[in-house]
Amino acid sequence: MARTASCACGGLRVICAAEPILVSVCHCLACQRRTGSPYGATAVFRRDDVGVEGPSRSYERPSDSGFPVSFRFCPTCGSTVVWEPRRKPDVVAVAVGAFADPGFPAPTQAIFAEHRHPWVGELG
């Protein structure tokens, strides 16, 4: 089943030809800043199952793992849609919200829970 994620203006699209291998939420402070939310929701796909279309700019930052992560965002609307963790070069991460699909698979894990806001549920 193919799924398409896009930025707010639709200029940057990510086509995923398979189901995600993992869906998680991250409570790290960097994800909180990136999303403007108390956590980021991420769908991880095998790199071979992902195609990116449209213009993008990138921003690279260090991660808590010590390996950099490269984020691609739309140069028009600024939405971050896809990112690539250097420590796992065979996968691509896509923002769950960019799919705009309430039926998207639910997260099965949460990471950096020590930064979870106390009013947020266990996985959310």
PDB file of all heavy atoms in Angstrom, residues 94-113:
ATOM      1  N   VAL A  94       9.787   9.769   8.350  1.00  0.00           N
ATOM      2  CA  VAL A  94       8.810  10.695   7.802  1.00  0.00           C
ATOM      3  C   VAL A  94       7.888  11.135   8.932  1.00  0.00           C
ATOM      4  O   VAL A  94       7.480  10.321   9.768  1.00  0.00           O
ATOM      5  CB  VAL A  94       7.984  10.032   6.670  1.00  0.00           C
ATOM      6  CG1 VAL A  94       6.983  11.018   6.078  1.00  0.00           C
ATOM      7  CG2 VAL A  94       8.898   9.471   5.582  1.00  0.00           C
ATOM      8  N   ALA A  95       7.570  12.422   8.951  1.00  0.00           N
ATOM      9  CA  ALA A  95       6.668  12.951   9.976  1.00  0.00           C
ATOM     10  C   ALA A  95       5.274  12.337   9.789  1.00  0.00           C
ATOM     11  O   ALA A  95       4.690  12.439   8.704  1.00  0.00           O
ATOM     12  CB  ALA A  95       6.590  14.468   9.876  1.00  0.00           C
ATOM     13  N   VAL A  96       4.758  11.712  10.822  1.00  0.00           N
ATOM     14  CA  VAL A  96       3.448  11.064  10.736  1.00  0.00           C
ATOM     15  C   VAL A  96       2.367  12.078  10.357  1.00  0.00           C
ATOM     16  O   VAL A  96       1.505  11.798   9.525  1.00  0.00           O
ATOM     17  CB  VAL A  96       3.098  10.349  12.070  1.00  0.00           C
ATOM     18  CG1 VAL A  96       1.645   9.903  12.085  1.00  0.00           C
ATOM     19  CG2 VAL A  96       4.024   9.161  12.285  1.00  0.00           C
ATOM     20  N   GLY A  97       2.435  13.273  10.913  1.00  0.00           N
ATOM     21  CA  GLY A  97       1.430  14.292  10.601  1.00  0.00           C
ATOM     22  C   GLY A  97       1.414  14.703   9.143  1.00  0.00           C
ATOM     23  O   GLY A  97       0.388  15.162   8.634  1.00  0.00           O
ATOM     24  N   ALA A  98       2.532  14.531   8.438  1.00  0.00           N
ATOM     25  CA  ALA A  98       2.597  14.903   7.028  1.00  0.00           C
ATOM     26  C   ALA A  98       1.750  13.980   6.151  1.00  0.00           C
ATOM     27  O   ALA A  98       1.442  14.316   5.012  1.00  0.00           O
ATOM     28  CB  ALA A  98       4.046  14.903   6.552  1.00  0.00           C
ATOM     29  N   PHE A  99       1.351  12.832   6.673  1.00  0.00           N
ATOM     30  CA  PHE A  99       0.451  11.946   5.937  1.00  0.00           C
ATOM     31  C   PHE A  99      -0.997  12.421   6.031  1.00  0.00           C
ATOM     32  O   PHE A  99      -1.818  12.055   5.200  1.00  0.00           O
ATOM     33  CB  PHE A  99       0.567  10.507   6.450  1.00  0.00           C
ATOM     34  CG  PHE A  99       1.878   9.856   6.115  1.00  0.00           C
ATOM     35  CD1 PHE A  99       2.890   9.794   7.052  1.00  0.00           C
ATOM     36  CD2 PHE A  99       2.098   9.322   4.856  1.00  0.00           C
ATOM     37  CE1 PHE A  99       4.108   9.207   6.750  1.00  0.00           C
ATOM     38  CE2 PHE A  99       3.321   8.730   4.535  1.00  0.00           C
ATOM     39  CZ  PHE A  99       4.322   8.672   5.487  1.00  0.00           C
ATOM     40  N   ALA A 100      -1.305  13.224   7.052  1.00  0.00           N
ATOM     41  CA  ALA A 100      -2.670  13.733   7.252  1.00  0.00           C
ATOM     42  C   ALA A 100      -3.691  12.600   7.128  1.00  0.00           C
ATOM     43  O   ALA A 100      -4.677  12.707   6.413  1.00  0.00           O
ATOM     44  CB  ALA A 100      -2.972  14.876   6.283  1.00  0.00           C
ATOM     45  N   ASP A 101      -3.437  11.522   7.826  1.00  0.00           N
ATOM     46  CA  ASP A 101      -4.271  10.321   7.753  1.00  0.00           C
ATOM     47  C   ASP A 101      -4.583   9.841   9.165  1.00  0.00           C
ATOM     48  O   ASP A 101      -3.741   9.221   9.814  1.00  0.00           O
ATOM     49  CB  ASP A 101      -3.515   9.235   6.977  1.00  0.00           C
ATOM     50  CG  ASP A 101      -4.263   7.918   6.907  1.00  0.00           C
ATOM     51  OD1 ASP A 101      -5.412   7.825   7.398  1.00  0.00           O
ATOM     52  OD2 ASP A 101      -3.684   6.955   6.361  1.00  0.00           O
ATOM     53  N   PRO A 102      -5.801  10.097   9.658  1.00  0.00           N
ATOM     54  CA  PRO A 102      -6.160   9.643  11.002  1.00  0.00           C
ATOM     55  C   PRO A 102      -6.104   8.121  11.161  1.00  0.00           C
ATOM     56  O   PRO A 102      -6.027   7.612  12.272  1.00  0.00           O
ATOM     57  CB  PRO A 102      -7.588  10.147  11.200  1.00  0.00           C
ATOM     58  CG  PRO A 102      -7.734  11.275  10.244  1.00  0.00           C
ATOM     59  CD  PRO A 102      -6.866  10.918   9.072  1.00  0.00           C
ATOM     60  N   GLY A 103      -6.100   7.382  10.060  1.00  0.00           N
ATOM     61  CA  GLY A 103      -6.017   5.927  10.116  1.00  0.00           C
ATOM     62  C   GLY A 103      -4.597   5.398  10.067  1.00  0.00           C
ATOM     63  O   GLY A 103      -4.402   4.184   9.988  1.00  0.00           O
ATOM     64  N   PHE A 104      -3.608   6.295  10.128  1.00  0.00           N
ATOM     65  CA  PHE A 104      -2.213   5.865  10.078  1.00  0.00           C
ATOM     66  C   PHE A 104      -1.917   4.964  11.276  1.00  0.00           C
ATOM     67  O   PHE A 104      -2.471   5.162  12.359  1.00  0.00           O
ATOM     68  CB  PHE A 104      -1.285   7.090  10.096  1.00  0.00           C
ATOM     69  CG  PHE A 104       0.099   6.802   9.619  1.00  0.00           C
ATOM     70  CD1 PHE A 104       0.395   6.826   8.267  1.00  0.00           C
ATOM     71  CD2 PHE A 104       1.099   6.480  10.517  1.00  0.00           C
ATOM     72  CE1 PHE A 104       1.680   6.548   7.811  1.00  0.00           C
ATOM     73  CE2 PHE A 104       2.385   6.197  10.074  1.00  0.00           C
ATOM     74  CZ  PHE A 104       2.674   6.230   8.721  1.00  0.00           C
ATOM     75  N   PRO A 105      -1.042   3.981  11.121  1.00  0.00           N
ATOM     76  CA  PRO A 105      -0.733   3.096  12.250  1.00  0.00           C
ATOM     77  C   PRO A 105      -0.259   3.861  13.494  1.00  0.00           C
ATOM     78  O   PRO A 105       0.485   4.841  13.380  1.00  0.00           O
ATOM     79  CB  PRO A 105       0.399   2.207  11.712  1.00  0.00           C
ATOM     80  CG  PRO A 105       0.224   2.231  10.226  1.00  0.00           C
ATOM     81  CD  PRO A 105      -0.306   3.603   9.907  1.00  0.00           C
ATOM     82  N   ALA A 106      -0.697   3.414  14.634  1.00  0.00           N
ATOM     83  CA  ALA A 106      -0.344   4.058  15.907  1.00  0.00           C
ATOM     84  C   ALA A 106       1.100   3.757  16.287  1.00  0.00           C
ATOM     85  O   ALA A 106       1.657   2.733  15.882  1.00  0.00           O
ATOM     86  CB  ALA A 106      -1.270   3.551  17.014  1.00  0.00           C
ATOM     87  N   PRO A 107       1.710   4.634  17.075  1.00  0.00           N
ATOM     88  CA  PRO A 107       3.064   4.359  17.543  1.00  0.00           C
ATOM     89  C   PRO A 107       3.094   3.144  18.463  1.00  0.00           C
ATOM     90  O   PRO A 107       2.128   2.865  19.179  1.00  0.00           O
ATOM     91  CB  PRO A 107       3.455   5.626  18.296  1.00  0.00           C
ATOM     92  CG  PRO A 107       2.200   6.348  18.573  1.00  0.00           C
ATOM     93  CD  PRO A 107       1.192   5.900  17.574  1.00  0.00           C
ATOM     94  N   THR A 108       4.211   2.434  18.404  1.00  0.00           N
ATOM     95  CA  THR A 108       4.387   1.265  19.268  1.00  0.00           C
ATOM     96  C   THR A 108       5.492   1.477  20.286  1.00  0.00           C
ATOM     97  O   THR A 108       5.733   0.604  21.118  1.00  0.00           O
ATOM     98  CB  THR A 108       4.722   0.015  18.430  1.00  0.00           C
ATOM     99  OG1 THR A 108       5.891   0.281  17.651  1.00  0.00           O
ATOM    100  CG2 THR A 108       3.562  -0.350  17.519  1.00  0.00           C
ATOM    101  N   GLN A 109       6.180   2.606  20.201  1.00  0.00           N
ATOM    102  CA  GLN A 109       7.216   2.893  21.192  1.00  0.00           C
ATOM    103  C   GLN A 109       7.341   4.397  21.379  1.00  0.00           C
ATOM    104  O   GLN A 109       6.964   5.173  20.513  1.00  0.00           O
ATOM    105  CB  GLN A 109       8.566   2.314  20.781  1.00  0.00           C
ATOM    106  CG  GLN A 109       9.261   3.070  19.675  1.00  0.00           C
ATOM    107  CD  GLN A 109      10.692   2.588  19.461  1.00  0.00           C
ATOM    108  OE1 GLN A 109      11.077   1.512  19.897  1.00  0.00           O
ATOM    109  NE2 GLN A 109      11.486   3.387  18.791  1.00  0.00           N
ATOM    110  N   ALA A 110       7.867   4.764  22.522  1.00  0.00           N
ATOM    111  CA  ALA A 110       8.195   6.156  22.827  1.00  0.00           C
ATOM    112  C   ALA A 110       9.649   6.188  23.270  1.00  0.00           C
ATOM    113  O   ALA A 110      10.109   5.301  23.987  1.00  0.00           O
ATOM    114  CB  ALA A 110       7.295   6.691  23.932  1.00  0.00           C
ATOM    115  N   ILE A 111      10.374   7.208  22.807  1.00  0.00           N
ATOM    116  CA  ILE A 111      11.774   7.344  23.207  1.00  0.00           C
ATOM    117  C   ILE A 111      11.986   8.690  23.887  1.00  0.00           C
ATOM    118  O   ILE A 111      11.206   9.619  23.711  1.00  0.00           O
ATOM    119  CB  ILE A 111      12.735   7.149  22.020  1.00  0.00           C
ATOM    120  CG1 ILE A 111      12.453   8.144  20.902  1.00  0.00           C
ATOM    121  CG2 ILE A 111      12.642   5.728  21.490  1.00  0.00           C
ATOM    122  CD1 ILE A 111      13.460   8.080  19.765  1.00  0.00           C
ATOM    123  N   PHE A 112      13.034   8.766  24.676  1.00  0.00           N
ATOM    124  CA  PHE A 112      13.365   9.939  25.487  1.00  0.00           C
ATOM    125  C   PHE A 112      12.195  10.338  26.385  1.00  0.00           C
ATOM    126  O   PHE A 112      11.882  11.517  26.566  1.00  0.00           O
ATOM    127  CB  PHE A 112      13.845  11.105  24.613  1.00  0.00           C
ATOM    128  CG  PHE A 112      15.132  10.789  23.923  1.00  0.00           C
ATOM    129  CD1 PHE A 112      15.158  10.447  22.582  1.00  0.00           C
ATOM    130  CD2 PHE A 112      16.323  10.776  24.635  1.00  0.00           C
ATOM    131  CE1 PHE A 112      16.351  10.111  21.949  1.00  0.00           C
ATOM    132  CE2 PHE A 112      17.521  10.455  24.009  1.00  0.00           C
ATOM    133  CZ  PHE A 112      17.529  10.121  22.667  1.00  0.00           C
ATOM    134  N   ALA A 113      11.582   9.315  26.979  1.00  0.00           N
ATOM    135  CA  ALA A 113      10.424   9.538  27.848  1.00  0.00           C
ATOM    136  C   ALA A 113      10.766  10.388  29.070  1.00  0.00           C
ATOM    137  O   ALA A 113       9.867  10.967  29.682  1.00  0.00           O
ATOM    138  CB  ALA A 113       9.834   8.200  28.284  1.00  0.00           C
TER     139      ALA A 113
END
